[in-house]
Amino acid sequence: MAGIRTVEELLKLDGERYDITVFGTEPHGNYNRILLSPVLAGEKQFEDIVTHDRAWYAKHGILLYAGNPVVAIDRKRRVVKALDGLEVQYDRLLIATGSKPFIIPVPGHQLPGVIAFRDINDVETMIATARSHRHAVVIGGGLLGLEAANGLLRQGMNVSVVHVMDSLMERQLDKPAAKLLKVALEKRGMRFLLEANTAEIVGSDRVTAIKFKDGSEIPADLVVMAVGIRPNVELAKTAGLHVERAIVVDDTLQSLSDPRIYAVGECVQHRKNVYGLVAPLWDQAKVCAAHLAGFGHRRYGGSVTATRLKVTGIDLYSAGDFIGDKDSEDLVLRDPGRGVYKRLVLKGGCIVGVVLYGEVSDGPWYFELMQARRDITQLRQRLLFGRAYCEPQAA
């Protein structure tokens, strides 16, 4: 997604500057990975989430090698080599290899029926399994794991979510919001095993159960690993680029090792940060495209991120530092009857973090205030009630 977004931005600025060639691992054009969850839940079809089909590439004169990934970069000759042996020269190279799902290396992790939730092939495997099997276990109670669990539940499977922490989505939610979320999902039929450590995935021909470190077991016909991602940097490493957690780039998205090579997306490390959400990737794409087009005035300074859960009927929103510290203070609204929880973390007269559950329409407004570092002192008494209560007073 990040790579093709960069190409889109480049075409807007200068569609004639380069002959563009795109290599990709998957055997089709670009699609919106964010919408894989609705496909799994049966709310969309794959065709609905395709953003750039082969006709789009042809229309813009872009040569697409789908299902034929680059396996080597020769920086001296300025050539990339594809899986089938094809070599193509470049003047500028953009690496957008994204990330790979992390698979917990417990015994049995390579059994059939143990998969990740990363691409359309994973979704198709889950849907096919749901037709003939009953018990699904999702390892990981974060954003992606809960979306996978919801989709499998919608496909008719019995779903258990295994999470090593004591609350769900601990990177995006505080404990009161996480508790509300857990209760809502349990009402839908999900089962949760918190503070549970997987010791082994059991099975011979395919997975049949999960065994935990305390010796207990639960049945499993399908195990979905959703325990995090790792930047996909092997190609960059073998090319001799500077890689730490990911490919290290400067504020122009150029590799530190080679000014002819740029990188965007989840494979990038910028100012020690690696981003896994879409908004920073779009910011990177604009800056990178500007420099590829010869307009060197833009700089990428990093991103503050916001999170939404894509589960129909459950609304939550999280952004910034929702934990706070000794110098911050909280504004909190709880309305258990309506299932509403709001928490704003303030520091120095500004919003630095937001957690919303049940009523999230003001999330983007709080996010704007946070990004602008706007002084909200005059709005403090009404701030939790949202934009409609604050803006007339501000005016």
Side-chain angles (χ1 to χ4, degrees):
M1 290 174 65
I4 300 305
R5 182 60 171 251
T6 306
V7 171
E8 280 188 315
E9 297 289 346
L10 177 58
L11 292 174
K12 291 178 191 175
L13 295 170
D14 188 346
E16 304 298 324
R17 187 178 184 90
Y18 298 102
D19 295 323
I20 300 174
T21 303
V22 174
F23 289 86
T25 300
E26 296 184 77
H28 36 65
N30 191 34
Y31 61 90
N32 188 342
R33 290 183 192 277
I34 297 170
L35 296 178
L36 285 172
S37 296
V39 174
L40 177 59
E43 297 166 358
K44 291 183 180 293
Q45 300 297 315
F46 176 63
E47 294 73 21
D48 299 329
I49 70 170
V50 172
T51 54
H52 303 80
D53 58 16
R54 290 181 180 272
W56 180 87
Y57 290 88
K59 176 184 176 182
H60 291 90
I62 297 171
L63 197 54
L64 172 65
Y65 293 102
N68 190 21
V70 169
V71 295
I73 300 168
D74 185 334
R75 289 167 51 200
K76 289 184 179 179
R77 295 168 55 216
R78 296 206 303 274
V79 166
V80 297
K81 183 177 180 180
L83 183 63
D84 68 353
L86 174 69
E87 292 190 347
V88 175
Q89 285 195 309
Y90 66 84
D91 296 302
R92 295 290 184 270
L93 178 64
L94 174 61
I95 300 176
T97 47
S99 58
K100 298 186 296 184
F102 178 68
I103 302 296
I104 304 172
V106 294
H109 73 276
Q110 295 179 319
L111 282 170
V114 181
I115 64 170
F117 180 23
R118 187 63 185 162
D119 56 32
I120 190 60
N121 184 59
D122 295 327
V123 172
E124 290 171 347
T125 298
M126 285 188 255
I127 292 172
T129 303
R131 295 192 188 108
S132 56
H133 294 81
R134 185 176 181 186
H135 299 288
V137 175
V138 177
I139 301 179
L143 186 69
L144 193 62
L146 295 181
E147 290 179 3
N150 179 69
L152 291 167
L153 198 67
R154 295 283 295 273
Q155 290 292 335
M157 299 193 80
N158 293 335
V159 181
S160 299
V161 176
V162 174
H163 195 44
V164 72
M165 305 300 288
D166 63 354
S167 65
L168 301 174
M169 289 183 63
E170 71 282 352
R171 293 185 179 180
Q172 291 88 18
L173 299 179
D174 60 9
K175 290 194 175 182
K179 186 176 180 180
L180 287 170
L181 175 62
K182 180 173 178 285
V183 170
L185 293 174
E186 284 174 334
K187 288 180 179 177
R188 295 187 174 202
M190 280 187 210
R191 178 189 178 198
F192 293 96
L193 291 85
L194 302 181
E195 297 183 273
N197 290 281
T198 303
E200 181 183 354
I201 298 173
V202 181
S204 52
D205 296 332
R206 67 170 288 123
V207 59
T208 58
I210 294 248
K211 180 182 286 186
F212 300 103
K213 289 186 177 179
D214 64 3
S216 62
E217 287 189 16
I218 57 173
D221 304 310
L222 173 70
V223 175
V224 180
M225 295 266 194
V227 291
I229 56 176
R230 299 291 184 270
N232 188 7
V233 295
E234 283 75 12
L235 180 65
K237 278 185 177 179
T238 57
L241 298 181
H242 180 50
V243 173
E244 293 176 4
R245 282 193 298 153
I247 304 167
V248 181
V249 297
D250 62 17
D251 290 356
T252 68
L253 282 305
Q254 282 178 312
S255 160
L256 297 190
S257 310
D258 190 331
R260 294 180 179 272
I261 298 180
Y262 293 73
V264 293
E266 294 177 340
C267 64
V268 159
Q269 178 179 318
H270 173 263
R271 299 187 188 180
K272 302 296 183 183
N273 293 313
V274 178
Y275 297 99
L277 297 174
V278 71
L281 277 53
W282 284 182
D283 295 339
Q284 292 174 7
K286 285 186 177 182
V287 173
C288 185
H291 283 268
L292 286 169
F295 303 116
H297 60 285
R298 287 189 172 180
R299 293 290 185 274
Y300 177 65
S303 300
V304 179
T305 58
T307 300
R308 287 181 184 267
L309 179 67
K310 293 180 290 299
V311 172
T312 304
I314 293 180
D315 296 315
L316 63 83
Y317 185 96
S318 170
D321 176 13
F322 61 86
I323 298 298
D325 56 31
K326 63 181 179 62
D327 297 320
S328 65
E329 53 183 330
D330 298 346
L331 298 182
V332 178
L333 183 151
R334 288 186 175 90
D335 188 342
R338 292 195 301 134
V340 172
Y341 173 81
K342 299 182 180 183
R343 181 182 178 200
L344 304 178
V345 182
L346 310 180
K347 193 171 184 178
C350 300
I351 298 175
V352 296
V354 181
V355 176
L356 306 176
Y357 183 92
E359 192 174 280
V360 300
S361 59
D362 286 307
W365 179 63
Y366 291 133
F367 189 61
E368 288 174 14
L369 296 178
M370 184 169 63
Q371 284 189 304
R373 294 198 57 79
R374 179 177 165 187
D375 189 329
I376 50 80
T377 304
Q378 299 301 316
L379 306 177
R380 182 186 174 94
Q381 298 301 318
R382 295 173 178 240
L383 198 59
L384 280 170
F385 300 102
R387 187 172 199 162
Y389 287 86
C390 292
E391 291 204 330
Q393 180 177 319

